[in-house]
Amino acid sequence: MFPHHRERDQPIFSTRAHVFQIDPATKRNWIPASKHAVNVSFFYDANRSVYRIISVGGTKAIINCTVTPSMTFTKTSQKFGQWADSRANTVYGLGFATEQQLHQFSEKFKEVKDAARLARGKSQDKELVNTALTIAAPQYSQDLSDELQSPPVMCVNGPEDKLYRSQSADITLSSEKERIKKMLSEGSICDMNLEAELFGLQDSNSKLVAALHEANANVEQWKKQLAAYQEETERLREQVADLEAHGAQGPSDLLKDELTQSLEELEALLKAKDEEIHILQSKKAEYHEMEHARDEAIRRFREMEMRNAELERRIQNTEQNLSNSLEERDRMDTEIQRAIEILDIKIFDLNDLRQSLVKLLEK
């Protein structure tokens, strides 16, 4: 699918993105691995016949991941995607500037994964067949031995009914716990996406602030230049008026034309500076809109934190209920065992009574 190059590592695709890594402590929050967008490239190692994803920030390798057929790149938003690297025991996240860049990276990831699967397909098939044959025989023997050695189950109407109720309660609590965990996982994914979006807004905000400061400095400089040009214009106009008042005809006409041309150039320059000032004012309005978007993202982030806190509280309550149910199940198991023992004694007594009655009848 990709050409084989002579050198060890050959880049086959590159793009720019903000790089994130999952927090190893919480496994929920994203940690920025780069302050700005960096190059993220796919490389092909011809000697090992493997594909790698590499990103370097300064002198430090931010990403050095070998692509395997089991990896999956997941789009979690319009401009953000992630994949897990089991060898590095981490999850990488990429924030792109446009949705098109995210789509291009996702498609290239699939192509590289398919190429890695083709390269390893034959050897993996042989290993899987041998491993399956090695595991299947002892496992089949073990299952057969377990079936032969398993004792018969005694069924009594009363205790069996309690046992079924205990198992039903256990299944209900387990399903409830799985549902709460799924809700928390969805909340964590939204939290990660909001953090990535907030980081992108902060980066754009810092760039806009720097551009605004530079624009303000340029405006002040242009205002000074404008005042100087206006003074120069007034001075030239006064000179023209003086020359016209003296009535000089020969050289004054040429000087008048030069002064008129200078005035026209200064007026054109003033007009261009006014247009630049209007452009900077429009950029300032865009900066205010970005500030509003950042405040909105911060508000959504805080709401998501409150939702996560509520989900954690519900999980704690569910775990407490589960613990209480387990204790109740243990107590019911104890009662069931006691009832079985009493039934065994009663059955033994009835058997003795039956034998005694048989002996009496024989006499």
Side-chain angles (χ1 to χ4, degrees), residues 108-343:
K108 187 61 63 176
F109 194 98
K110 293 179 181 178
E111 293 179 7
V112 170
K113 186 176 71 171
D114 293 338
R117 181 182 293 108
L118 291 175
R120 297 175 53 187
K122 294 182 179 180
S123 60
Q124 284 184 349
D125 290 340
K126 293 181 180 179
E127 291 178 0
L128 288 174
V129 170
N130 294 332
T131 304
L133 291 175
T134 304
I135 295 174
Q139 183 65 33
Y140 178 76
S141 300
Q142 181 66 31
D143 293 340
L144 183 58
S145 176
D146 292 340
E147 290 179 359
L148 293 175
Q149 295 178 3
S150 58
V153 179
M154 292 182 58
C155 295
V156 182
N157 291 334
E160 183 184 8
D161 183 59
K162 293 183 179 180
L163 183 59
Y164 287 160
R165 290 179 182 176
S166 175
Q167 291 177 350
S168 177
D170 193 7
I171 293 172
T172 303
L173 290 172
S174 299
S175 61
E176 179 68 17
K177 188 174 181 180
E178 291 297 330
R179 186 176 67 83
I180 296 298
K181 285 184 177 180
K182 183 178 179 181
M183 293 173 61
L184 182 60
S185 176
E186 293 176 355
S188 300
I189 292 174
C190 294
D191 194 4
M192 293 176 185
N193 295 338
L194 283 176
E195 286 183 357
E197 184 179 355
L198 180 61
F199 179 80
L201 287 174
Q202 288 176 350
D203 188 19
S204 301
N205 185 26
S206 62
K207 292 180 181 179
L208 285 174
V209 169
L212 183 62
H213 289 328
E214 183 179 359
N216 289 333
N218 292 333
V219 167
E220 295 297 331
Q221 184 179 0
W222 290 336
K223 285 182 178 179
K224 293 179 181 179
Q225 292 179 359
L226 181 61
Y229 292 150
Q230 289 176 349
E231 292 177 359
E232 182 69 16
T233 302
E234 293 296 330
R235 187 179 64 80
L236 292 174
R237 284 178 179 175
E238 289 176 359
Q239 289 181 1
V240 170
D242 292 339
L243 290 173
E244 289 179 351
H246 286 85
Q249 297 294 329
S252 63
D253 291 337
L254 180 61
L255 181 60
K256 182 178 179 180
D257 293 337
E258 293 178 353
L259 293 174
T260 302
Q261 184 178 359
S262 299
L263 285 173
E264 291 176 354
E265 292 177 354
L266 288 173
E267 288 177 353
L269 182 61
L270 289 174
K271 185 177 180 181
K273 295 297 182 182
D274 288 336
E275 291 178 355
E276 291 180 357
I277 290 174
H278 288 305
I279 293 173
L280 291 174
Q281 289 177 350
S282 64
K283 288 184 177 179
K284 188 174 181 180
E286 292 178 358
Y287 168 72
H288 290 307
E289 292 179 358
M290 289 295 296
E291 281 189 341
H292 179 70
R294 184 193 62 179
D295 295 338
E296 180 66 18
I298 292 174
R299 183 185 65 80
R300 291 171 57 192
F301 179 71
R302 290 176 178 173
E303 291 179 355
M304 189 59 62
E305 286 183 342
M306 294 176 63
R307 287 183 58 190
N308 286 340
E310 177 66 18
L311 289 173
E312 289 178 355
R313 184 184 64 80
R314 293 177 62 182
I315 285 179
Q316 291 178 355
N317 294 335
T318 303
E319 289 178 348
Q320 182 64 33
N321 294 333
L322 179 61
S323 177
N324 296 334
S325 298
L326 290 175
E327 293 178 357
E328 179 67 18
R329 188 186 67 177
D330 293 338
R331 186 182 63 80
M332 292 176 64
D333 290 341
T334 303
E335 293 180 357
I336 291 170
Q337 188 64 31
R338 186 182 301 112
I340 291 173
E341 293 176 355
I342 293 173
L343 286 173

